Amino acid sequence: MRNPRNFAKPLALGAPAPINDVPTRPSRMIHFFDPSNERMARKVPELAKQVDILLGNLEDAIEVRNKEAARAGFVRIARDTDFGPTQLWTRVNSLDSPWFLDDITTIVGEAGDKLDVLMVPKVEGPWDIHFVDQLLAQLEAKRRLERPILVHAILETALGVANLELIARASPRMQGLSLGPADLAASRRMKTTRVGGGHPGYLVREDPNPADENAPRKSAQQDLWHYTLARMVDACVSAGILPFYGPFGDIADPVACEDQFRNAFLLGCVGAWSLHPKQIEIARRVFSPPVEEVKWALRVIEEMGDGSGTVMIDGKMQDDATVKQCRVMVALARLIAERDPEMARNYGF
Ligand code: GLV
Ligand code: MG
């Protein structure tokens, strides 16, 4: 294990010092685009104004024959675009692929000053993060970057889930984790053929009616992802990094997408991936605290004064713990309001 005194020191001579705290910026959606697609590339400046995070995807969904074009396209877009306050991320190919080394050296070498976060897929344990950490430090030093590039890992193998806490704490570069339900389902040998969301077969059913064995029995679909998502939230928050739900593949089902995103929001996730422009608005709505809840939270904070003791508001008991929940809600609303004038108006800030 590394000496904790050295945890926050650069891993290469001349590399920038790691940061202590993950920057808190609105991160409601990580919008994926294909940098090899010219038509999509032209939309990037417009998209940058609508989303919190833009991610140039080099990994799955990019055909093998387009891998190099995607890498080169990403560098060009990163250099030529003014992203304003929008974060720029990339998802590189996995560490066992023939493209990873060129992805990281080219992107850090040619556009490292524009890159906020490197998303690493199929992370299995802290050793994967240590490898990327060291390599990034070398590349940052060579390029004389002044700001460290952060790392986001996708949780999409059974071994990765088993090593969650170790991955979350593997480096001060760790920015967050996303659930990757599609690859995770394959890795676990789950019997699904979807990208995230529920499954009608995963349910619980009420007991038979003793008076009528043929009477219909109510059933309710359960959430396939609850266990992993909840573990991921605890691992992230306990390590001071940010949890994200990942992709929802049924673009034609905005209702189920919204439900999945909201479950993640309520459990503590800060955002989700958007794979299609239609999902941007869903993520924006779901991952911004609801206006009525924020107004309620402001009232609780006001009436609780210094936060000690208890007060009753509309028949509901408030104390130190509820006022803390309310502060979480209001702090997030204020953060989002700085970036999103429409939400600022809705909140009345
Ligand atoms: C995302 O990459 C996933 O596999 O779900
Ligand atoms: Mg995947």
Side-chain angles (χ1 to χ4, degrees):
M1 202 169 88
R2 231 155 95 195
N3 174 352
R5 289 182 203 282
N6 291 338
F7 194 67
K9 294 193 184 145
L11 288 179
L13 213 61
I19 55 167
N20 226 352
D21 293 314
V22 172
T24 40
R25 291 183 282 187
S27 303
R28 294 166 292 180
M29 71 297 284
I30 307 172
H31 186 70
F32 274 55
F33 72 94
D34 170 359
S36 74
N37 179 326
E38 288 291 332
R39 203 169 44 87
M40 257 191 220
R42 278 197 294 277
K43 292 190 183 147
V44 162
E46 229 2 82
L47 272 173
K49 295 185 194 135
Q50 297 167 30
V51 301
D52 295 338
I53 301 167
L54 251 185
L55 178 146
N57 181 26
L58 310 186
E59 200 223 8
D60 294 353
I62 306 300
E63 285 180 51
V64 167
R65 64 192 164 115
N66 289 338
K67 290 286 186 192
E68 281 171 20
R71 187 189 299 139
F74 181 79
V75 167
R76 198 171 49 248
I77 293 164
R79 280 186 174 167
D80 295 351
T81 313
D82 176 4
F83 294 94
T86 302
Q87 300 175 53
L88 178 66
W89 296 20
T90 185
R91 177 170 78 167
V92 289
N93 287 285
S94 58
L95 301 182
D96 60 355
S97 76
W99 304 290
F100 169 79
L101 189 60
D102 287 340
D103 287 349
I104 192 168
T105 48
T106 306
I107 285 174
V108 179
E110 297 179 25
D113 53 332
K114 296 296 274 294
L115 187 69
D116 291 291
V117 174
L118 190 85
M119 181 186 270
V120 184
K122 302 178 175 77
V123 170
E124 305 230 88
W127 55 88
D128 286 338
I129 303 299
H130 295 158
F131 171 68
V132 173
D133 199 7
Q134 187 75 61
L135 187 51
L136 274 175
Q138 294 278 336
L139 295 168
E140 286 168 344
K142 188 167 174 206
R143 178 79 211 279
R144 296 186 203 292
L145 293 183
E146 287 169 7
R147 186 173 53 100
I149 293 167
L150 302 186
V151 169
H152 182 101
I154 317 180
L155 211 57
E156 49 185 354
T157 68
L159 185 56
V161 176
N163 286 322
L164 249 176
E165 289 82 6
L166 297 173
I167 293 169
R169 292 184 198 149
S171 155
R173 278 187 205 277
M174 283 302 296
Q175 178 273 350
L177 295 175
S178 282
L179 174 73
D183 271 299
L184 183 54
S187 163
R188 281 179 174 157
R189 299 193 205 105
M190 288 167 66
K191 305 304 177 291
T192 54
T193 52
R194 306 170 166 217
V195 179
H199 191 288
Y202 193 71
L203 48 79
V204 288
R205 191 181 299 277
E206 71 178 352
D207 283 355
N209 180 345
D212 176 5
E213 65 177 23
N214 294 321
R217 293 158 60 186
K218 277 197 241 105
S219 67
Q221 199 174 311
Q222 305 294 295
D223 184 356
L224 280 169
W225 303 109
H226 177 77
Y227 152 77
T228 317
L229 210 54
R231 271 199 65 192
M232 189 184 80
V233 170
D234 282 343
C236 284
V237 179
S238 64
I241 70 171
L242 305 176
F244 292 71
Y245 176 75
F248 186 87
D250 191 348
I251 311 294
D253 191 352
V255 175
C257 175
E258 178 159 345
D259 291 341
Q260 183 75 70
F261 284 8
R262 185 164 292 105
N263 287 348
F265 172 70
L266 287 169
L267 269 183
C269 289
V270 298
W273 302 4
S274 54
L275 303 181
H276 186 278
K278 282 185 194 162
Q279 294 182 337
I280 295 175
E281 193 45 44
I282 301 176
R284 178 171 173 251
R285 184 167 63 246
V286 171
F287 289 99
S288 303
V291 173
E292 286 316 309
E293 294 264 22
V294 173
K295 293 198 168 148
W296 166 260
L298 285 165
R299 198 175 145 202
V300 174
I301 292 169
E302 161 101 38
E303 296 203 21
M304 278 295 291
D306 71 358
S308 66
T310 61
V311 292
M312 294 295 280
I313 308 179
D314 297 349
K316 297 177 180 64
M317 190 209 68
Q318 311 299 325
D319 67 359
D320 176 63
T322 57
V323 86
K324 280 187 201 143
Q325 292 173 55
C326 291
R327 285 189 195 125
V328 168
M329 197 79 95
V330 171
L332 179 59
R334 289 202 189 283
L335 190 73
I336 285 168
E338 280 171 27
R339 166 120 179 85
D340 190 329
E342 190 188 332
M343 287 312 298
R345 271 195 303 280
N346 294 345
Y347 292 136
F349 291 157

